[in-house]
Amino acid sequence: GAVVSQHPSRVICKSGTSVKIECRSLDFQATTMFWYRQFPKKSLMLMATSNEGSKATYEQGVEKDKFLINHASLTLSTLTVTSAHPEDSSFYICSAIKPGQTKETQYFGPGTRLLVL
Amino acid sequence: GQNIDQPTEMTATEGAIVQINCTYQTSGFNGLFWYQQHAGEAPTFLSYNVLDGLEEKGRFSSFLSRSKGYSYLLLKELQMKDSASYLCAVRDRWTADSWGKFQFGAGTQVVVTP
């Protein structure tokens, strides 16, 4: 299989602070990782595609300056929510593509639940 | 882009069969995926179709018709633990802009009753 970890699993922060979420592929190298956001009882909304060694590709409507993505190595991508506000409270999930497989599915991290007070 | 439709909720009894339909309209296609997601958890991969036909994997089967833009996930011998949301996702072709991203349907909540 393929294991993707995410840290932290839960975070509570004050409005105006920044929060960094890490996504790691533990047993494979991932050139591409995706960041999703999910509201309660809703589906996953793709925020951005994170590519190792290059700038992230953001989906329409997602603020690049607010959601900073850095794919520093083949096993680590980070999402930083800058100047967080209560409306940023959500479930953030990363996924990584394991290359070289016939069916290139994405493997999801366990998610990070962010609550901004 | 993609437009992906699936029913919001389905209810079935333990031991029964449930079929979850998914229709999509696509500008590029590189596979259709089904994921299971329990409340508060991340999705887990169930099945993948890229060619027309049926893929069987234990109690779960998935079917694809590319000409009709249609897929279904079949869950047999339902168990209580199968109560979850089932997400249909279509993957884009790789392009300089797309990087083979996934677009998800809204999910179908399956409720299994005793």
Side-chain angles (χ1 to χ4, degrees):
Chain A
V3 181
V4 176
S5 71
Q6 224 176 300
H7 178 80
S9 57
R10 286 178 184 273
V11 58
I12 301 173
C13 69
K14 291 183 181 178
S15 190
T17 60
S18 294
V19 175
K20 181 187 277 190
I21 303 170
E22 292 187 349
C23 178
R24 292 182 187 272
S25 54
L26 298 184
D27 54 355
F28 65 97
Q29 294 183 328
T31 52
T32 302
M33 291 184 174
F34 298 101
W35 286 96
Y36 296 91
R37 182 173 181 177
Q38 188 175 35
F39 292 103
K41 297 190 178 180
K42 298 291 184 185
S43 190
L44 280 76
M45 183 191 79
L46 180 65
M47 298 175 67
T49 303
S50 172
N51 304 297
E52 190 269 337
S54 64
K55 290 184 180 179
T57 304
Y58 288 83
E59 293 302 298
Q60 199 170 6
V62 178
E63 298 176 58
K64 301 177 185 183
D65 295 333
K66 180 154 187 69
F67 299 100
L68 300 177
I69 290 171
N70 183 16
H71 198 139
S73 75
L74 286 171
T75 58
L76 173 64
S77 175
T78 60
L79 168 68
T80 301
V81 183
T82 61
S83 187
H85 290 285
E87 58 266 28
D88 299 324
S89 299
S90 192
F91 190 43
Y92 292 88
I93 310 174
C94 73
S95 72
I97 300 288
K98 184 175 182 181
Q101 294 185 300
T102 306
K103 38 190 163 189
E104 269 198 355
T105 186
Q106 54 187 327
Y107 294 90
F108 287 93
T112 296
R113 199 162 297 281
L114 171 63
L115 177 61
V116 185
L117 302 176
Chain B
Q2 318 280 11
N3 186 21
I4 302 170
D5 291 311
Q6 52 182 127
T8 306
E9 185 170 313
M10 302 182 76
T11 301
T13 53
E14 207 172 1
I17 298 173
V18 72
Q19 177 174 315
I20 306 169
N21 296 324
C22 172
T23 57
Y24 63 91
Q25 294 171 318
T26 177
S27 57
F29 180 84
N30 193 25
L32 188 139
F33 296 77
W34 284 95
Y35 296 88
Q36 180 191 61
Q37 186 178 26
H38 285 100
E41 298 179 9
T44 55
F45 169 73
L46 286 179
S47 71
Y48 164 76
N49 295 72
V50 70
L51 299 175
D52 291 350
L54 187 68
E55 292 282 340
E56 296 187 85
K57 201 175 178 182
R59 293 189 299 115
F60 296 165
S61 304
S62 58
F63 171 84
L64 175 67
S65 169
R66 287 171 297 170
S67 62
K68 294 181 180 176
Y70 168 69
S71 173
Y72 68 72
L73 178 70
L74 196 68
L75 285 63
K76 301 179 215 172
E77 300 169 21
L78 278 173
Q79 301 175 10
M80 297 299 290
K81 66 178 182 179
D82 297 330
S83 291
S85 181
Y86 291 84
L87 306 172
C88 172
V90 175
R91 190 170 189 197
D92 279 343
R93 286 207 183 101
W94 280 86
T95 66
D97 298 326
S98 163
W99 293 91
K101 65 187 178 187
F102 294 74
Q103 297 284 349
F104 283 82
T108 299
Q109 185 67 42
V110 170
V111 178
V112 182
T113 59

